Amino acid sequence: MHINVFGLNHNTAPIEIREKLYCSESDVPVILKKLKDWGLNESVVISTCNRTEIYFCSDNTEESIKKIEGLLLEHFGAPLDWLKSYTYRFCDEEAYRHLFLVASGLDSMVVGEPQILGQVKDAYRMATLHNATGSFLDKAFHKTFNVAKRIRTETRIGYNPLSISSMAIELSKKIFGELNRKKILVIGAGEMCEIALKYFKKEGLTEIFITNRTFQNAQKLAEDITGIPCLLQDIPDLLTKVDMVLSSTGSEKPIIDKELVVPIMKKRKNRPLFFIDIAMPRDIDPEVNHIENVYLYDIDDLKGLSQQHLSDRLKESEKAHAIIEEEVVKFSHWLEQLEKNPLITHIIDVVEETRSNELKRMIQKMKYVDEETLRNMDLLTRSIVNKLIHRHIFLIRQNGSPSLLEIMKQLFKFEEENEKKMDSGNEGK
C-alpha cells in the first residue's frame, strides 16, 4: 500500500486556476464518496486559498491518479492540460514529507503561518466523519499533527506569527501609510476577518464597518473586537464612503463586480477605492481592477510581502526541515515494519472494524447527534484504540518470540491463511 498526494498550490498554479479547483465544504463529501466508489478507500481532501490536495492510499498509484484526474474533470470541468501543467504528485516518503511541511506551515505562502494546521485538522476530521480514512492515513495524519507540534515547540518558526490577514494589513499600511483616519469595510465574519479586525483595532482605526450574509455574525464580531455591523445590502452605500475594502467570505461567486462599482465611482467623484480580496474563490471580480482609480489586490499580490519576511524565518525554517527529515525516517521505518508483519496489519484492521461498528451502533441508538459531537466521538474513539493497540504492536516489534506471537494470534483471531502469508514474508527477510 502506498501513501500518495495529488494536488496544486500557490507555487505551481496562479489564483485563477486554484479557485477553479477549490473544493468548498459541500464539495468535499461528494469527492470523498466518489473516490470511495472508485476503489480509493482512504482519502483526505485539503483545500485552502493556497492549495487543493488529495491524499490517498493505493496499491496502484498511476491507476488511482487517472481516476482522480477523471473525477476533477467531471466535477469541476477542469481541462486536462491544467491537470498536467499545474499539479504535482508525490508517493510514499515524498508524500508524507510534503504533508509534514504543509501542516507545519513550511509550504505556505506566508512561511510559518499558524492557520494551516487547523485547516489540515479540519480536512482530516471531515474525512473521518465520512469514513474515508483507514489505518494508513490515520497514522500518517496523527504523525503529522505530532510533527507540527514538535516544530512549534522546538523552533521559533511560529514566533511573532504572520498570516494572510496580517500580510493584508501590511499591504494596507503600504498603501495608506497611517491607517487610523481611514474608513474600512470588512466583508465576511470568518477567521481571516476576525484576525484582520484585531490588527485594525491595534492600528487605532475607529471607523470600521462589518458586513456578512448572516448579520448576527457581523454583530458578534463587532461586539467582541471592534466595528459597526451592517447588512449585506448596505454594501453599495458603504462603498461610497470607505477608503478600502477587505473581503474574505465563503461565497462561491464574486459578490462585487464591475457593474456595481462603476456607478459608485461616479458618486465618489473618482476618489480612489482599494480592494484587498483574500477569499478563495475570489469575492471581487478581477474586472473591477480596470476601472479608473480602483485598485484590486488578491492573495497572489501578497506573495512579494511574504518573501520579504522569509529571510527572517530562514534560520528557524532550516531547523524545522531537519526535524521533518528525522520524522520522515521514523515514519518510513514504521511503515516498513508494518508491511513486514501481517499480524500487526491484522490487529490494526480488527480493532478499527470493531471501533467503527460499535460507534455506528451507538450513533443509531442516539436520537440526535450534531456534527461536532460526531467528530469528537470519532476522534476520541480513534485516540483510545490507537493507545490500546500501541502496546501490543510495540511488544510484537520489540519481542517477537514465538510464545508472544502465538498469544497475539489467538487474541486477535489471526487465521491460518494469514499465518501462511506471515511465514512466507518471514522467509523472504
Side-chain angles (χ1 to χ4, degrees), residues 27-88:
D27 287 324
V28 173
V30 177
I31 291 172
L32 291 174
K33 185 176 183 309
K34 283 187 179 176
L35 289 172
K36 204 165 191 176
D37 290 345
W38 291 357
L40 291 170
N41 291 323
E42 291 196 46
S43 57
V44 176
V45 178
I46 298 174
S47 197
T48 72
C49 57
N50 283 325
R51 70 188 65 249
T52 292
E53 295 178 336
I54 298 175
Y55 292 84
F56 62 97
C57 287
S58 172
D59 287 324
N60 188 333
T61 296
E62 286 306 313
E63 188 64 31
S64 299
I65 284 178
K66 284 179 185 173
K67 290 177 181 176
I68 291 172
E69 286 180 339
L71 187 153
L72 296 176
L73 289 171
E74 177 187 302
H75 192 82
F76 295 105
L80 188 59
D81 62 324
W82 283 12
L83 302 181
K84 301 297 180 191
S85 303
Y86 298 113
T87 61
Y88 44 82

Side-chain angles (χ1 to χ4, degrees), residues 196-214:
L197 280 170
K198 287 176 181 172
Y199 280 105
F200 283 139
K201 185 180 180 183
K202 196 175 173 184
E203 292 294 329
L205 272 86
T206 54
E207 288 193 89
I208 306 172
F209 304 94
I210 310 167
T211 184
N212 189 60
R213 187 169 50 188
T214 305

Side-chain angles (χ1 to χ4, degrees), residues 218-242:
Q219 201 169 29
K220 186 171 188 316
L221 269 188
E223 289 169 0
D224 291 349
I225 305 172
T226 186
I228 303 163
C230 303
L231 297 170
L232 201 63
Q233 53 264 40
D234 294 336
I235 285 179
D237 287 338
L238 291 167
L239 290 180
T240 63
K241 64 174 80 170
V242 299

Side-chain angles (χ1 to χ4, degrees), residues 340-342 405 419-429:
K340 286 176 182 174
N341 198 324
L405 292 178
E419 286 194 53
K420 287 177 183 174
K421 288 181 187 173
M422 187 171 169
D423 291 342
S424 171
N426 288 337
E427 284 169 8
K429 282 196 281 187

